[in-house]
Amino acid sequence: MALPAYRHLLRSITLAFRNDTRLLTSALSSARSNFESCRSLPRADAATKVAHAEEVAEVLRRNVVQGMSEAKEGEKFRK
């Protein structure tokens, strides 16, 4: 149950931050440390953490957009 959620979260992080190496590395490290810290939780508490990880993965896949500036002046961005 936790392993598929972890893999889904890692894939979502990789897709959301693929062009930002610093943020990608930080997010992957944070996901790993959060899962490692919850390793010894009881099954009921672990289920809520797994559900939270799935929700975070969905938010990353659907709502995060990374923009890059096209011009030095003004508010012009591209995906």
Side-chain angles (χ1 to χ4, degrees), residues 1-14 25 27-39 46 49-57 60-61:
M1 184 161 105
L3 185 59
Y6 180 66
R7 292 178 66 196
H8 184 218
L9 181 61
L10 293 182
R11 281 193 300 270
S12 298
I13 289 171
T14 302
T25 305
L28 290 173
S29 172
S30 177
R32 181 181 174 98
S33 66
N34 286 335
F35 267 83
E36 286 289 328
S37 69
C38 296
R39 189 175 277 240
K49 295 288 186 177
V50 167
H52 177 71
E54 287 288 347
E55 291 170 6
V56 169
L60 287 173
R61 282 194 182 245

